[in-house]
């Protein structure tokens, strides 16, 4: 029973364009959502998060959108840079302190120069 | 500022052997988490400590898996009588009681 789903295994984008990574969830008890970025042979690193009381959170080139009614969130990267090429994981938690994160399977982003 | 470190980075074990994986969290971090990441999948929660107390071990797949953090700092994940299905990357993360978990590089375990 996958509670967090990232249906696109990979995404290829031209440098300078927008990258949109999508995530769907099934558990309505989730109230905190996070995006992590992972390079090969490294652990995931925190990128951006959003509470369920918001529908948008922005940090520089990264914006996360949350649609609670659709149980859907997305990560927008504008403009995309070659250094953004990595695996992106969506994660969710049922409490603000993020214990027991539930992760999606990840999306490989390739930014072409 | 050292991050989360894990050792060994790679471990090959023969089926039936016991293994011990070590995690050194960021100094002062209260919370420590273990995750298992199978190939092509996202990390899956195994267990969680707050200081030395193991508050949640609901993700441990069997009683062959055991984790400890006796002094509230370094943690060890032990797997007894390893099986092929235990092959995965084991990730440790720590946090200062917040949602932002800092991950180590992981230990890749291969059971042959």
């Amino acid at each position: 029973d996958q509670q967090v789903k990232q249906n696109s295994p990979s995404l290829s984008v031209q440098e300078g364009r927008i990258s949109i990574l999508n995530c769907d969830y099934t558990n309505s008890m989730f109230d905190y959502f996070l995006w992590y970025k992972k390079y090969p042979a490294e652990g995931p690193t925190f990128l951006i998060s959003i509470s369920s009381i918001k529908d948008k959170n922005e940090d520089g080139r990264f914006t996360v959108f949350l649609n609670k009614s659709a149980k859907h969130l997305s990560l927008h990267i504008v403009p995309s840079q070659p250094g953004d090429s990595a695996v992106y994981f969506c994660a969710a938690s049922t409490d603000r302190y993020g214990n027991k994160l539930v992760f999606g399977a990840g999306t490989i982003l390739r930014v072409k120069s | 500022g050292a991050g989360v470190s894990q050792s060994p980075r790679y471990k090959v074990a023969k089926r039936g052997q016991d293994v011990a994986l070590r995690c050194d969290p960021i100094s002062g971090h209260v919370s420590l988490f273990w995750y298992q990441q199978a190939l092509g999948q996202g990390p899956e929660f195994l267990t969680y400590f707050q200081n030395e107390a193991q508050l949640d071990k609901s993700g441990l797949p069997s009683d062959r898996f055991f984790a400890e953090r006796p002094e509230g700092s370094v943690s060890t994940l032990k797997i007894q009588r390893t099986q092929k299905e235990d092959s995965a990357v084991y990730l440790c993360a720590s946090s200062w009681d917040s949602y932002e978990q800092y991950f180590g590089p992981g230990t890749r375990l291969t059971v042959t």
Side-chain angles (χ1 to χ4, degrees), chain A residues 36 41 43-44 96-98 100 104, chain B residues 9 42 58 97-99 101 103-104:
Chain A
Y36 279 81
R96 188 236 179 267
Y97 292 98
K100 197 171 185 177
Chain B
R9 291 293 312 274
S58 61
D97 211 21
S98 74
Y99 59 85
Q101 297 181 19
F103 282 82

Side-chain angles (χ1 to χ4, degrees), chain A residues 40-112:
Chain A
E42 294 183 13
T45 54
F46 172 76
L47 198 55
I48 192 169
S49 65
I50 189 167
S51 163
S52 61
I53 62 173
K54 295 185 173 181
D55 55 17
K56 177 182 174 181
N57 188 26
E58 193 171 352
D59 183 1
R61 296 186 298 114
F62 303 91
T63 303
V64 56
F65 295 91
L66 175 62
N67 181 334
K68 281 188 66 179
S69 60
K71 294 192 177 68
H72 177 83
L73 66 156
S74 60
L75 174 68
H76 292 209
I77 306 173
V78 183
S80 301
Q81 299 173 354
D84 296 330
S85 297
V87 180
Y88 289 78
F89 291 101
C90 171
S93 173
T94 55
D95 65 80
R96 188 236 179 267
Y97 292 98
N99 298 328
K100 197 171 185 177
L101 292 176
V102 180
F103 284 85
T107 296
I108 300 170
L109 174 65
R110 295 188 185 92
V111 180
K112 300 176 288 187

Side-chain angles (χ1 to χ4, degrees), chain B:
Chain B
V4 178
S5 62
Q6 293 186 244
S7 61
R9 291 293 312 274
Y10 303 91
K11 176 70 180 177
V12 178
K14 290 188 176 177
R15 189 163 59 92
Q17 282 185 332
D18 298 348
V19 298
L21 312 179
R22 177 187 168 108
C23 173
D24 284 83
I26 293 172
S27 178
H29 276 192
V30 170
S31 300
L32 186 145
F33 307 82
W34 284 98
Y35 292 86
Q36 179 190 59
Q37 185 177 14
L39 191 63
Q41 300 299 315
E44 284 196 18
F45 172 83
L46 292 176
T47 187
Y48 157 60
F49 290 86
Q50 191 169 73
N51 295 306
E52 68 279 2
Q54 190 174 19
L55 299 186
D56 188 342
K57 53 181 181 179
S58 61
L60 296 176
S62 78
D63 58 8
R64 297 185 295 104
F65 287 71
F66 173 76
E68 60 183 6
R69 195 187 184 197
E71 296 177 1
S73 178
V74 171
S75 177
T76 304
L77 176 67
K78 297 179 179 177
I79 309 173
Q80 297 177 323
R81 303 181 304 281
T82 52
Q83 304 294 315
K84 284 200 171 183
E85 61 264 27
D86 300 335
S87 297
V89 175
Y90 290 85
L91 293 163
C92 175
S94 70
S95 72
W96 176 240
D97 211 21
S98 74
Y99 59 85
E100 187 174 335
Q101 297 181 19
Y102 294 82
F103 282 82
T107 294
R108 180 178 295 278
L109 172 66
T110 303
V111 181
T112 61

